[in-house]
Amino acid sequence: MIDETGTKLFHQSMPFTERLGIEVLEHGPGLVRSRIAWDESLCTLGGVLHGGVLMSLADSTAAVCAFLNLPEGKQGTTTVESKTNFLRAVRSGHAIASARPLHAGRTFIVVETEIRDAADKLVAKVTQTQAVL
């Protein structure tokens, strides 16, 4: 089921996510889940969903997770470091990202994001540091 409020948050705060077609499945401080549908226009040769698309999905999902864990009085975050391990290709269905905070501090928030395919197989693991603004 699509989380309409979360999807609107993504699209208003990051218009690029609307262009990619990212939909939010759930959002809260402990977990943010979103997905992107496989589409030929987002692929590399051989019908594989482009790694940059997967990284955009992970970065956007982690950014909202960090935002939902901001210390009181802070306005936003920005990515200062991101590490991605790609484990398998996505050739159909959806790529689903799940982001969880590992550390929510006063100056940095660290988020870990897993991307899985429609068969629930691990596609990528992303660890990201967001600076608190």
Side-chain angles (χ1 to χ4, degrees), residues 13-95:
S13 62
M14 300 172 286
F16 179 63
T17 63
E18 185 171 17
R19 177 171 271 186
L20 288 175
I22 293 174
E23 300 172 311
V24 176
L25 303 174
E26 68 180 284
H27 75 290
L31 175 65
V32 178
R33 292 180 61 239
S34 66
R35 71 180 185 181
I36 191 166
W38 180 94
D39 185 275
E40 187 176 16
S41 69
L42 300 175
C43 291
T44 61
L45 294 175
V48 173
L49 201 58
H50 192 285
V53 170
L54 294 173
M55 291 175 76
S56 293
L57 175 67
D59 185 56
S60 301
T61 306
V64 170
C65 184
F67 176 79
L68 295 173
N69 283 281
L70 279 171
E72 192 169 327
K74 297 298 181 174
Q75 301 298 314
T77 68
T78 189
T79 305
V80 295
E81 190 271 338
S82 186
K83 163 78 168 85
T84 304
N85 289 102
F86 293 106
L87 305 169
R88 74 176 58 246
V90 176
R91 291 186 169 87
S92 64
H94 286 90

